[in-house]
Amino acid sequence: MEVLTIRGGRPLAGTVSVCGGKNAVLPMMAASLMIKGKTVLHNVPPLSDVESMSRILGCFGAKIKRENEDMEIDASALTFRSVPEEKMKMIRASNLIWGPLLDRFGRAELPYPGGCRIGLRPMDLHFKGMSLLGVAIEDRGGLIFSRGYKRKGTTICLDYPSVGATENILMAAVRADGSTVIRNAAREPEIAELCLFLNRCGASIRGIGGDALFIDGVRELRGSEYTVLPDRIVGGTLLLSALISAGDIILNNIGFDQLSNVASKLAETGAEVTIDEHSLRLKSNGRYRGVDLRTMPYPGFPTDLQPPFTAAMTKAAGVSVIKEDIFEHRLEFCSELKKLGAKISVDGRIAVVKGRTDLVGAEVEATDLRGGAALILAGLAAEGCTVVKGVSYIDRGYPAVERCLCRLGADISRSEK
Ligand code: EPZ
């Protein structure tokens, strides 16, 4: 089993070009199933979730070529099949092939997806949207059987701005008969990227970036090329690593558009945050204020940065109240932070963090992707040596995390244990 060993107390400093966005590239890879031709994606991050999605596309006969951060997906000749459960269970985003399969084959037979155990993560909003488009759905004991050869455009009001449901319904509507409106659509930047990508393939989507998406059904889609934007969650995590380690990090390819909401929250701590269109810098002297946090759908503070933020609050002066309003079980990592000496009390979706704690290195275990990032950040600030197990979770969303942090001055290494 691989572990990360961190010797804390070193400030992280330097300039980073952030990798392409995991949560942007995964839906685009799924959408490539809709294209009877080649899709070329640039700035694809080298992540295990990307490999998992590649294996899923391969099940249908898609041919994938990778060269560094470039990916070519040839979906000219596909064969319909039911995806093996073990492949669907690898990631949550596997459920994003539902819309594309309905578009390509008019049917889909899918086991339920996997993904980080951070909440119940039902798919009722996906089901509701597909049904409204005229898709016949049967849940046969954990397998979703659906038929939707003639999907008819309609108006769909989402009870909650679910990212995945918005993406799946969008892809199922692109070639439906007539027009579809998705109201209360998710507004995360990854949705806008998917819309721009689909329009480049010949779709007709308006209202991009807003909470109402207008999709006029088209007849044909064509192969296209797209460069994925940098990963805003990886970027935000790196800024938080500067905060907790009294460092100074510049992100040179992410700016105001993607992280303004996060930048303003980080500035509340008293850290020196400078932002412009294409770069973001956080400089910290290590003495910063505790700040309350509530996670919200975009443009609120992203839930994916809540765990690293909570870790940083263990070293802030004062008390921080963290309210996780998106997922039911996204505070599990706090029990591991307490092994490092953090003073955190968790009650349901609320964590109360008592700051300026002296963290001391210990052996801890990641049980989800972003919780793992939180443990690394705490290790950077802990006295002595911290060993983080469960590295495979972290590799799902942070490419070669130890190499990136080493370049910024951290004492961190990966080894077998
Ligand atoms: C996407 O997950 C991201 N994953 C998540 O990132 C991210 O945390 C989440 O959006 C919120 O921003 C990918 O894009 C691959 P949701 P998704 O549907 O689509 C409830 C990471 O660490 N809900 O917006 O699964 C759900 O239970 C991952 O990179 C329903 O109730 O998120 C949750 O409480 C973690 N019914 C809330 O909505 C549904 O049908 C948000 O879920 C669907 C969702």
Side-chain angles (χ1 to χ4, degrees), residues 20-32 41-47 49-50 53 57 66 69 71 73 93 96 167 190 193-194 197 226 228-229 231:
K22 167 177 87 78
N23 293 346
V25 76
L26 292 174
M28 286 180 203
M29 290 176 71
S32 71
L41 299 174
H42 302 291
N43 201 28
V44 175
L47 295 168
D49 272 18
V50 170
M53 182 61 89
L57 302 185
R66 277 299 296 262
E69 270 71 54
M71 175 184 276
I73 304 168
L96 296 177
E167 291 168 335
E190 292 76 23
E193 281 204 84
L194 178 62
F197 168 71
Y226 191 86
V228 181
L229 284 179
D231 192 311

PDB file of all heavy atoms in Angstrom, residues 20-32 41-47 49-50 53 57 66 69 71 73 93 96 167 190 193-194 197 226 228-229 231:
ATOM      1  N   GLY A  20      -5.345  20.525 -15.789  1.00  0.00           N
ATOM      2  CA  GLY A  20      -6.711  20.615 -16.311  1.00  0.00           C
ATOM      3  C   GLY A  20      -7.725  20.073 -15.316  1.00  0.00           C
ATOM      4  O   GLY A  20      -7.397  19.274 -14.442  1.00  0.00           O
ATOM      5  N   GLY A  21      -8.954  20.527 -15.447  1.00  0.00           N
ATOM      6  CA  GLY A  21      -9.990  20.235 -14.450  1.00  0.00           C
ATOM      7  C   GLY A  21     -10.580  18.836 -14.570  1.00  0.00           C
ATOM      8  O   GLY A  21     -11.136  18.471 -15.619  1.00  0.00           O
ATOM      9  N   LYS A  22     -10.504  18.089 -13.447  1.00  0.00           N
ATOM     10  CA  LYS A  22     -11.068  16.732 -13.423  1.00  0.00           C
ATOM     11  C   LYS A  22     -12.567  16.773 -13.724  1.00  0.00           C
ATOM     12  O   LYS A  22     -13.067  16.023 -14.565  1.00  0.00           O
ATOM     13  CB  LYS A  22     -10.851  16.113 -12.051  1.00  0.00           C
ATOM     14  CG  LYS A  22     -11.654  14.836 -11.792  1.00  0.00           C
ATOM     15  CD  LYS A  22     -11.361  14.214 -10.440  1.00  0.00           C
ATOM     16  CE  LYS A  22     -12.179  14.748  -9.324  1.00  0.00           C
ATOM     17  NZ  LYS A  22     -13.567  14.251  -9.212  1.00  0.00           N
ATOM     18  N   ASN A  23     -13.280  17.670 -13.054  1.00  0.00           N
ATOM     19  CA  ASN A  23     -14.743  17.658 -13.149  1.00  0.00           C
ATOM     20  C   ASN A  23     -15.256  18.332 -14.405  1.00  0.00           C
ATOM     21  O   ASN A  23     -16.462  18.348 -14.654  1.00  0.00           O
ATOM     22  CB  ASN A  23     -15.370  18.281 -11.889  1.00  0.00           C
ATOM     23  CG  ASN A  23     -15.105  17.417 -10.669  1.00  0.00           C
ATOM     24  OD1 ASN A  23     -14.701  16.256 -10.797  1.00  0.00           O
ATOM     25  ND2 ASN A  23     -15.268  17.985  -9.488  1.00  0.00           N
ATOM     26  N   ALA A  24     -14.291  18.869 -15.200  1.00  0.00           N
ATOM     27  CA  ALA A  24     -14.654  19.382 -16.526  1.00  0.00           C
ATOM     28  C   ALA A  24     -14.388  18.311 -17.579  1.00  0.00           C
ATOM     29  O   ALA A  24     -15.214  18.084 -18.480  1.00  0.00           O
ATOM     30  CB  ALA A  24     -13.844  20.637 -16.843  1.00  0.00           C
ATOM     31  N   VAL A  25     -13.261  17.615 -17.452  1.00  0.00           N
ATOM     32  CA  VAL A  25     -12.881  16.667 -18.517  1.00  0.00           C
ATOM     33  C   VAL A  25     -13.730  15.402 -18.471  1.00  0.00           C
ATOM     34  O   VAL A  25     -14.039  14.817 -19.514  1.00  0.00           O
ATOM     35  CB  VAL A  25     -11.373  16.334 -18.436  1.00  0.00           C
ATOM     36  CG1 VAL A  25     -11.029  15.379 -17.321  1.00  0.00           C
ATOM     37  CG2 VAL A  25     -10.882  15.806 -19.780  1.00  0.00           C
ATOM     38  N   LEU A  26     -14.163  14.966 -17.276  1.00  0.00           N
ATOM     39  CA  LEU A  26     -14.922  13.707 -17.196  1.00  0.00           C
ATOM     40  C   LEU A  26     -16.246  13.781 -17.969  1.00  0.00           C
ATOM     41  O   LEU A  26     -16.549  12.876 -18.764  1.00  0.00           O
ATOM     42  CB  LEU A  26     -15.140  13.312 -15.730  1.00  0.00           C
ATOM     43  CG  LEU A  26     -13.861  12.907 -14.983  1.00  0.00           C
ATOM     44  CD1 LEU A  26     -14.157  12.678 -13.497  1.00  0.00           C
ATOM     45  CD2 LEU A  26     -13.227  11.664 -15.593  1.00  0.00           C
ATOM     46  N   PRO A  27     -17.060  14.834 -17.812  1.00  0.00           N
ATOM     47  CA  PRO A  27     -18.280  14.898 -18.631  1.00  0.00           C
ATOM     48  C   PRO A  27     -17.996  15.035 -20.125  1.00  0.00           C
ATOM     49  O   PRO A  27     -18.742  14.516 -20.956  1.00  0.00           O
ATOM     50  CB  PRO A  27     -19.035  16.121 -18.093  1.00  0.00           C
ATOM     51  CG  PRO A  27     -18.098  16.855 -17.219  1.00  0.00           C
ATOM     52  CD  PRO A  27     -17.037  15.926 -16.790  1.00  0.00           C
ATOM     53  N   MET A  28     -16.890  15.720 -20.479  1.00  0.00           N
ATOM     54  CA  MET A  28     -16.565  15.840 -21.915  1.00  0.00           C
ATOM     55  C   MET A  28     -16.179  14.470 -22.476  1.00  0.00           C
ATOM     56  O   MET A  28     -16.543  14.124 -23.607  1.00  0.00           O
ATOM     57  CB  MET A  28     -15.408  16.817 -22.102  1.00  0.00           C
ATOM     58  CG  MET A  28     -15.785  18.259 -21.905  1.00  0.00           C
ATOM     59  SD  MET A  28     -14.331  19.277 -22.152  1.00  0.00           S
ATOM     60  CE  MET A  28     -14.818  20.712 -21.210  1.00  0.00           C
ATOM     61  N   MET A  29     -15.444  13.689 -21.694  1.00  0.00           N
ATOM     62  CA  MET A  29     -15.108  12.325 -22.145  1.00  0.00           C
ATOM     63  C   MET A  29     -16.386  11.524 -22.338  1.00  0.00           C
ATOM     64  O   MET A  29     -16.557  10.841 -23.344  1.00  0.00           O
ATOM     65  CB  MET A  29     -14.189  11.642 -21.121  1.00  0.00           C
ATOM     66  CG  MET A  29     -12.782  12.214 -21.059  1.00  0.00           C
ATOM     67  SD  MET A  29     -11.769  11.458 -19.759  1.00  0.00           S
ATOM     68  CE  MET A  29     -11.514   9.810 -20.449  1.00  0.00           C
ATOM     69  N   ALA A  30     -17.318  11.652 -21.391  1.00  0.00           N
ATOM     70  CA  ALA A  30     -18.598  10.934 -21.534  1.00  0.00           C
ATOM     71  C   ALA A  30     -19.309  11.409 -22.800  1.00  0.00           C
ATOM     72  O   ALA A  30     -19.821  10.601 -23.589  1.00  0.00           O
ATOM     73  CB  ALA A  30     -19.463  11.176 -20.296  1.00  0.00           C
ATOM     74  N   ALA A  31     -19.301  12.724 -23.038  1.00  0.00           N
ATOM     75  CA  ALA A  31     -20.009  13.289 -24.196  1.00  0.00           C
ATOM     76  C   ALA A  31     -19.413  12.811 -25.514  1.00  0.00           C
ATOM     77  O   ALA A  31     -20.093  12.776 -26.540  1.00  0.00           O
ATOM     78  CB  ALA A  31     -19.968  14.818 -24.125  1.00  0.00           C
ATOM     79  N   SER A  32     -18.154  12.386 -25.491  1.00  0.00           N
ATOM     80  CA  SER A  32     -17.512  11.934 -26.749  1.00  0.00           C
ATOM     81  C   SER A  32     -18.232  10.713 -27.323  1.00  0.00           C
ATOM     82  O   SER A  32     -18.148  10.440 -28.523  1.00  0.00           O
ATOM     83  CB  SER A  32     -16.041  11.606 -26.506  1.00  0.00           C
ATOM     84  OG  SER A  32     -15.925  10.411 -25.741  1.00  0.00           O
ATOM     85  N   LEU A  41      -9.144  16.293 -26.867  1.00  0.00           N
ATOM     86  CA  LEU A  41      -9.155  17.127 -25.654  1.00  0.00           C
ATOM     87  C   LEU A  41      -7.722  17.436 -25.267  1.00  0.00           C
ATOM     88  O   LEU A  41      -6.849  16.549 -25.295  1.00  0.00           O
ATOM     89  CB  LEU A  41      -9.864  16.385 -24.516  1.00  0.00           C
ATOM     90  CG  LEU A  41     -11.345  16.026 -24.761  1.00  0.00           C
ATOM     91  CD1 LEU A  41     -11.881  15.173 -23.608  1.00  0.00           C
ATOM     92  CD2 LEU A  41     -12.188  17.273 -24.952  1.00  0.00           C
ATOM     93  N   HIS A  42      -7.458  18.713 -24.959  1.00  0.00           N
ATOM     94  CA  HIS A  42      -6.126  19.142 -24.503  1.00  0.00           C
ATOM     95  C   HIS A  42      -6.188  19.538 -23.036  1.00  0.00           C
ATOM     96  O   HIS A  42      -7.252  19.860 -22.514  1.00  0.00           O
ATOM     97  CB  HIS A  42      -5.669  20.351 -25.345  1.00  0.00           C
ATOM     98  CG  HIS A  42      -5.610  20.070 -26.822  1.00  0.00           C
ATOM     99  ND1 HIS A  42      -4.692  19.232 -27.403  1.00  0.00           N
ATOM    100  CD2 HIS A  42      -6.415  20.509 -27.831  1.00  0.00           C
ATOM    101  CE1 HIS A  42      -4.905  19.176 -28.711  1.00  0.00           C
ATOM    102  NE2 HIS A  42      -5.942  19.935 -29.002  1.00  0.00           N
ATOM    103  N   ASN A  43      -5.004  19.475 -22.391  1.00  0.00           N
ATOM    104  CA  ASN A  43      -4.879  19.809 -20.970  1.00  0.00           C
ATOM    105  C   ASN A  43      -5.659  18.832 -20.095  1.00  0.00           C
ATOM    106  O   ASN A  43      -6.257  19.198 -19.098  1.00  0.00           O
ATOM    107  CB  ASN A  43      -5.361  21.259 -20.712  1.00  0.00           C
ATOM    108  CG  ASN A  43      -4.775  21.806 -19.416  1.00  0.00           C
ATOM    109  OD1 ASN A  43      -3.695  21.396 -18.992  1.00  0.00           O
ATOM    110  ND2 ASN A  43      -5.489  22.731 -18.795  1.00  0.00           N
ATOM    111  N   VAL A  44      -5.630  17.566 -20.516  1.00  0.00           N
ATOM    112  CA  VAL A  44      -6.297  16.503 -19.759  1.00  0.00           C
ATOM    113  C   VAL A  44      -5.391  16.104 -18.587  1.00  0.00           C
ATOM    114  O   VAL A  44      -4.224  15.762 -18.787  1.00  0.00           O
ATOM    115  CB  VAL A  44      -6.559  15.274 -20.650  1.00  0.00           C
ATOM    116  CG1 VAL A  44      -7.132  14.118 -19.832  1.00  0.00           C
ATOM    117  CG2 VAL A  44      -7.496  15.640 -21.801  1.00  0.00           C
ATOM    118  N   PRO A  45      -5.879  16.149 -17.346  1.00  0.00           N
ATOM    119  CA  PRO A  45      -5.004  15.853 -16.205  1.00  0.00           C
ATOM    120  C   PRO A  45      -4.711  14.358 -16.090  1.00  0.00           C
ATOM    121  O   PRO A  45      -5.586  13.532 -16.396  1.00  0.00           O
ATOM    122  CB  PRO A  45      -5.836  16.332 -15.003  1.00  0.00           C
ATOM    123  CG  PRO A  45      -7.254  16.208 -15.438  1.00  0.00           C
ATOM    124  CD  PRO A  45      -7.260  16.494 -16.916  1.00  0.00           C
ATOM    125  N   PRO A  46      -3.494  13.984 -15.700  1.00  0.00           N
ATOM    126  CA  PRO A  46      -3.136  12.553 -15.552  1.00  0.00           C
ATOM    127  C   PRO A  46      -3.662  12.016 -14.218  1.00  0.00           C
ATOM    128  O   PRO A  46      -2.944  11.944 -13.224  1.00  0.00           O
ATOM    129  CB  PRO A  46      -1.602  12.565 -15.575  1.00  0.00           C
ATOM    130  CG  PRO A  46      -1.231  13.929 -15.072  1.00  0.00           C
ATOM    131  CD  PRO A  46      -2.335  14.864 -15.449  1.00  0.00           C
ATOM    132  N   LEU A  47      -4.922  11.666 -14.175  1.00  0.00           N
ATOM    133  CA  LEU A  47      -5.578  11.245 -12.926  1.00  0.00           C
ATOM    134  C   LEU A  47      -6.153   9.845 -13.068  1.00  0.00           C
ATOM    135  O   LEU A  47      -6.566   9.433 -14.161  1.00  0.00           O
ATOM    136  CB  LEU A  47      -6.725  12.207 -12.586  1.00  0.00           C
ATOM    137  CG  LEU A  47      -6.349  13.644 -12.252  1.00  0.00           C
ATOM    138  CD1 LEU A  47      -7.601  14.519 -12.236  1.00  0.00           C
ATOM    139  CD2 LEU A  47      -5.608  13.710 -10.933  1.00  0.00           C
ATOM    140  N   ASP A  49      -9.049   8.956 -12.070  1.00  0.00           N
ATOM    141  CA  ASP A  49     -10.455   9.050 -12.511  1.00  0.00           C
ATOM    142  C   ASP A  49     -10.555   9.144 -14.039  1.00  0.00           C
ATOM    143  O   ASP A  49     -11.502   8.608 -14.639  1.00  0.00           O
ATOM    144  CB  ASP A  49     -11.137  10.275 -11.880  1.00  0.00           C
ATOM    145  CG  ASP A  49     -11.753   9.937 -10.513  1.00  0.00           C
ATOM    146  OD1 ASP A  49     -11.369   8.902  -9.938  1.00  0.00           O
ATOM    147  OD2 ASP A  49     -12.604  10.710 -10.052  1.00  0.00           O
ATOM    148  N   VAL A  50      -9.586   9.796 -14.654  1.00  0.00           N
ATOM    149  CA  VAL A  50      -9.571   9.893 -16.123  1.00  0.00           C
ATOM    150  C   VAL A  50      -9.311   8.509 -16.719  1.00  0.00           C
ATOM    151  O   VAL A  50      -9.958   8.098 -17.695  1.00  0.00           O
ATOM    152  CB  VAL A  50      -8.503  10.913 -16.591  1.00  0.00           C
ATOM    153  CG1 VAL A  50      -8.296  10.850 -18.100  1.00  0.00           C
ATOM    154  CG2 VAL A  50      -8.910  12.327 -16.176  1.00  0.00           C
ATOM    155  N   MET A  53     -12.547   6.509 -16.446  1.00  0.00           N
ATOM    156  CA  MET A  53     -13.528   6.898 -17.483  1.00  0.00           C
ATOM    157  C   MET A  53     -13.080   6.362 -18.849  1.00  0.00           C
ATOM    158  O   MET A  53     -13.893   5.892 -19.639  1.00  0.00           O
ATOM    159  CB  MET A  53     -13.685   8.420 -17.541  1.00  0.00           C
ATOM    160  CG  MET A  53     -14.726   8.903 -18.549  1.00  0.00           C
ATOM    161  SD  MET A  53     -16.414   8.315 -18.229  1.00  0.00           S
ATOM    162  CE  MET A  53     -16.989   9.615 -17.148  1.00  0.00           C
ATOM    163  N   LEU A  57     -15.316   4.069 -21.462  1.00  0.00           N
ATOM    164  CA  LEU A  57     -15.550   4.372 -22.886  1.00  0.00           C
ATOM    165  C   LEU A  57     -15.072   3.204 -23.751  1.00  0.00           C
ATOM    166  O   LEU A  57     -15.689   2.849 -24.753  1.00  0.00           O
ATOM    167  CB  LEU A  57     -14.823   5.660 -23.290  1.00  0.00           C
ATOM    168  CG  LEU A  57     -15.165   6.948 -22.534  1.00  0.00           C
ATOM    169  CD1 LEU A  57     -14.432   8.129 -23.146  1.00  0.00           C
ATOM    170  CD2 LEU A  57     -16.664   7.189 -22.487  1.00  0.00           C
ATOM    171  N   ARG A  66      -3.584   8.652 -25.841  1.00  0.00           N
ATOM    172  CA  ARG A  66      -3.101   9.668 -24.908  1.00  0.00           C
ATOM    173  C   ARG A  66      -1.688  10.036 -25.295  1.00  0.00           C
ATOM    174  O   ARG A  66      -0.854   9.172 -25.558  1.00  0.00           O
ATOM    175  CB  ARG A  66      -3.033   9.131 -23.476  1.00  0.00           C
ATOM    176  CG  ARG A  66      -4.245   9.111 -22.613  1.00  0.00           C
ATOM    177  CD  ARG A  66      -4.872  10.431 -22.333  1.00  0.00           C
ATOM    178  NE  ARG A  66      -4.117  11.412 -21.586  1.00  0.00           N
ATOM    179  CZ  ARG A  66      -4.255  11.615 -20.275  1.00  0.00           C
ATOM    180  NH1 ARG A  66      -5.018  10.818 -19.564  1.00  0.00           N
ATOM    181  NH2 ARG A  66      -3.613  12.587 -19.674  1.00  0.00           N
ATOM    182  N   GLU A  69      -0.699  15.521 -22.068  1.00  0.00           N
ATOM    183  CA  GLU A  69      -2.014  16.013 -21.664  1.00  0.00           C
ATOM    184  C   GLU A  69      -3.016  16.070 -22.827  1.00  0.00           C
ATOM    185  O   GLU A  69      -4.066  16.706 -22.737  1.00  0.00           O
ATOM    186  CB  GLU A  69      -1.890  17.404 -21.057  1.00  0.00           C
ATOM    187  CG  GLU A  69      -1.658  17.403 -19.527  1.00  0.00           C
ATOM    188  CD  GLU A  69      -0.266  16.926 -19.148  1.00  0.00           C
ATOM    189  OE1 GLU A  69       0.707  17.490 -19.662  1.00  0.00           O
ATOM    190  OE2 GLU A  69      -0.176  15.968 -18.365  1.00  0.00           O
ATOM    191  N   MET A  71      -5.583  14.071 -25.496  1.00  0.00           N
ATOM    192  CA  MET A  71      -6.347  12.826 -25.586  1.00  0.00           C
ATOM    193  C   MET A  71      -7.215  12.852 -26.846  1.00  0.00           C
ATOM    194  O   MET A  71      -7.895  13.857 -27.098  1.00  0.00           O
ATOM    195  CB  MET A  71      -7.250  12.670 -24.358  1.00  0.00           C
ATOM    196  CG  MET A  71      -8.171  11.456 -24.408  1.00  0.00           C
ATOM    197  SD  MET A  71      -9.306  11.377 -22.999  1.00  0.00           S
ATOM    198  CE  MET A  71      -8.225  10.575 -21.793  1.00  0.00           C
ATOM    199  N   ILE A  73     -10.254  10.712 -28.657  1.00  0.00           N
ATOM    200  CA  ILE A  73     -11.243   9.651 -28.449  1.00  0.00           C
ATOM    201  C   ILE A  73     -11.962   9.433 -29.774  1.00  0.00           C
ATOM    202  O   ILE A  73     -12.647  10.331 -30.278  1.00  0.00           O
ATOM    203  CB  ILE A  73     -12.266  10.050 -27.368  1.00  0.00           C
ATOM    204  CG1 ILE A  73     -11.564  10.413 -26.057  1.00  0.00           C
ATOM    205  CG2 ILE A  73     -13.282   8.918 -27.136  1.00  0.00           C
ATOM    206  CD1 ILE A  73     -12.461  11.102 -25.026  1.00  0.00           C
ATOM    207  N   ALA A  93     -18.592   9.819 -11.602  1.00  0.00           N
ATOM    208  CA  ALA A  93     -18.859  10.433 -12.919  1.00  0.00           C
ATOM    209  C   ALA A  93     -19.230   9.392 -13.966  1.00  0.00           C
ATOM    210  O   ALA A  93     -19.636   9.743 -15.070  1.00  0.00           O
ATOM    211  CB  ALA A  93     -17.634  11.223 -13.372  1.00  0.00           C
ATOM    212  N   LEU A  96     -22.380   9.763 -15.825  1.00  0.00           N
ATOM    213  CA  LEU A  96     -22.536  10.783 -16.871  1.00  0.00           C
ATOM    214  C   LEU A  96     -22.557  10.192 -18.283  1.00  0.00           C
ATOM    215  O   LEU A  96     -22.712  10.926 -19.253  1.00  0.00           O
ATOM    216  CB  LEU A  96     -21.419  11.831 -16.751  1.00  0.00           C
ATOM    217  CG  LEU A  96     -21.433  12.644 -15.467  1.00  0.00           C
ATOM    218  CD1 LEU A  96     -20.234  13.595 -15.419  1.00  0.00           C
ATOM    219  CD2 LEU A  96     -22.734  13.424 -15.311  1.00  0.00           C
ATOM    220  N   GLU A 167     -25.820  17.954 -16.139  1.00  0.00           N
ATOM    221  CA  GLU A 167     -24.976  17.468 -17.251  1.00  0.00           C
ATOM    222  C   GLU A 167     -25.639  16.314 -17.997  1.00  0.00           C
ATOM    223  O   GLU A 167     -25.682  16.300 -19.230  1.00  0.00           O
ATOM    224  CB  GLU A 167     -23.603  17.045 -16.700  1.00  0.00           C
ATOM    225  CG  GLU A 167     -22.777  18.229 -16.206  1.00  0.00           C
ATOM    226  CD  GLU A 167     -21.549  17.842 -15.394  1.00  0.00           C
ATOM    227  OE1 GLU A 167     -21.521  16.741 -14.795  1.00  0.00           O
ATOM    228  OE2 GLU A 167     -20.607  18.657 -15.348  1.00  0.00           O
ATOM    229  N   GLU A 190     -17.768  24.115 -14.680  1.00  0.00           N
ATOM    230  CA  GLU A 190     -17.627  22.888 -15.477  1.00  0.00           C
ATOM    231  C   GLU A 190     -18.847  22.683 -16.384  1.00  0.00           C
ATOM    232  O   GLU A 190     -18.752  22.075 -17.444  1.00  0.00           O
ATOM    233  CB  GLU A 190     -17.429  21.687 -14.557  1.00  0.00           C
ATOM    234  CG  GLU A 190     -16.104  21.664 -13.800  1.00  0.00           C
ATOM    235  CD  GLU A 190     -16.085  22.634 -12.627  1.00  0.00           C
ATOM    236  OE1 GLU A 190     -17.164  23.001 -12.116  1.00  0.00           O
ATOM    237  OE2 GLU A 190     -14.966  23.063 -12.247  1.00  0.00           O
ATOM    238  N   GLU A 193     -18.320  24.889 -19.354  1.00  0.00           N
ATOM    239  CA  GLU A 193     -17.327  24.266 -20.258  1.00  0.00           C
ATOM    240  C   GLU A 193     -17.967  23.163 -21.084  1.00  0.00           C
ATOM    241  O   GLU A 193     -17.714  23.041 -22.283  1.00  0.00           O
ATOM    242  CB  GLU A 193     -16.178  23.684 -19.425  1.00  0.00           C
ATOM    243  CG  GLU A 193     -15.164  24.727 -18.953  1.00  0.00           C
ATOM    244  CD  GLU A 193     -13.831  24.090 -18.677  1.00  0.00           C
ATOM    245  OE1 GLU A 193     -13.039  23.914 -19.612  1.00  0.00           O
ATOM    246  OE2 GLU A 193     -13.600  23.747 -17.507  1.00  0.00           O
ATOM    247  N   LEU A 194     -18.816  22.347 -20.449  1.00  0.00           N
ATOM    248  CA  LEU A 194     -19.471  21.255 -21.200  1.00  0.00           C
ATOM    249  C   LEU A 194     -20.364  21.835 -22.289  1.00  0.00           C
ATOM    250  O   LEU A 194     -20.376  21.354 -23.429  1.00  0.00           O
ATOM    251  CB  LEU A 194     -20.280  20.377 -20.243  1.00  0.00           C
ATOM    252  CG  LEU A 194     -21.063  19.221 -20.889  1.00  0.00           C
ATOM    253  CD1 LEU A 194     -20.137  18.240 -21.582  1.00  0.00           C
ATOM    254  CD2 LEU A 194     -21.917  18.504 -19.832  1.00  0.00           C
ATOM    255  N   PHE A 197     -18.238  23.079 -25.111  1.00  0.00           N
ATOM    256  CA  PHE A 197     -17.716  21.922 -25.851  1.00  0.00           C
ATOM    257  C   PHE A 197     -18.806  21.347 -26.760  1.00  0.00           C
ATOM    258  O   PHE A 197     -18.578  21.134 -27.964  1.00  0.00           O
ATOM    259  CB  PHE A 197     -17.219  20.857 -24.864  1.00  0.00           C
ATOM    260  CG  PHE A 197     -16.937  19.522 -25.491  1.00  0.00           C
ATOM    261  CD1 PHE A 197     -15.847  19.340 -26.328  1.00  0.00           C
ATOM    262  CD2 PHE A 197     -17.787  18.450 -25.257  1.00  0.00           C
ATOM    263  CE1 PHE A 197     -15.591  18.112 -26.928  1.00  0.00           C
ATOM    264  CE2 PHE A 197     -17.545  17.218 -25.851  1.00  0.00           C
ATOM    265  CZ  PHE A 197     -16.447  17.048 -26.685  1.00  0.00           C
ATOM    266  N   TYR A 226     -11.033  20.595 -27.940  1.00  0.00           N
ATOM    267  CA  TYR A 226     -11.309  21.515 -26.827  1.00  0.00           C
ATOM    268  C   TYR A 226     -10.162  21.463 -25.828  1.00  0.00           C
ATOM    269  O   TYR A 226      -9.630  20.383 -25.549  1.00  0.00           O
ATOM    270  CB  TYR A 226     -12.624  21.122 -26.129  1.00  0.00           C
ATOM    271  CG  TYR A 226     -13.128  22.155 -25.147  1.00  0.00           C
ATOM    272  CD1 TYR A 226     -13.923  23.224 -25.564  1.00  0.00           C
ATOM    273  CD2 TYR A 226     -12.766  22.091 -23.807  1.00  0.00           C
ATOM    274  CE1 TYR A 226     -14.366  24.183 -24.664  1.00  0.00           C
ATOM    275  CE2 TYR A 226     -13.199  23.051 -22.895  1.00  0.00           C
ATOM    276  CZ  TYR A 226     -13.999  24.100 -23.328  1.00  0.00           C
ATOM    277  OH  TYR A 226     -14.414  25.060 -22.450  1.00  0.00           O
ATOM    278  N   VAL A 228      -9.216  21.974 -21.999  1.00  0.00           N
ATOM    279  CA  VAL A 228      -9.880  21.996 -20.686  1.00  0.00           C
ATOM    280  C   VAL A 228      -9.279  23.101 -19.811  1.00  0.00           C
ATOM    281  O   VAL A 228      -8.062  23.273 -19.761  1.00  0.00           O
ATOM    282  CB  VAL A 228      -9.699  20.632 -20.003  1.00  0.00           C
ATOM    283  CG1 VAL A 228     -10.381  20.595 -18.644  1.00  0.00           C
ATOM    284  CG2 VAL A 228     -10.241  19.513 -20.898  1.00  0.00           C
ATOM    285  N   LEU A 229     -10.115  23.837 -19.129  1.00  0.00           N
ATOM    286  CA  LEU A 229      -9.633  24.899 -18.230  1.00  0.00           C
ATOM    287  C   LEU A 229      -8.930  24.282 -17.018  1.00  0.00           C
ATOM    288  O   LEU A 229      -9.174  23.124 -16.672  1.00  0.00           O
ATOM    289  CB  LEU A 229     -10.819  25.741 -17.744  1.00  0.00           C
ATOM    290  CG  LEU A 229     -11.421  26.747 -18.727  1.00  0.00           C
ATOM    291  CD1 LEU A 229     -12.604  27.484 -18.084  1.00  0.00           C
ATOM    292  CD2 LEU A 229     -10.382  27.738 -19.201  1.00  0.00           C
ATOM    293  N   ASP A 231      -7.942  23.265 -13.186  1.00  0.00           N
ATOM    294  CA  ASP A 231      -8.798  22.715 -12.120  1.00  0.00           C
ATOM    295  C   ASP A 231      -8.885  23.697 -10.957  1.00  0.00           C
ATOM    296  O   ASP A 231      -7.924  23.869 -10.194  1.00  0.00           O
ATOM    297  CB  ASP A 231      -8.201  21.377 -11.644  1.00  0.00           C
ATOM    298  CG  ASP A 231      -9.179  20.601 -10.760  1.00  0.00           C
ATOM    299  OD1 ASP A 231      -9.733  21.219  -9.819  1.00  0.00           O
ATOM    300  OD2 ASP A 231      -9.390  19.408 -11.019  1.00  0.00           O
TER     301      ASP A 231
END
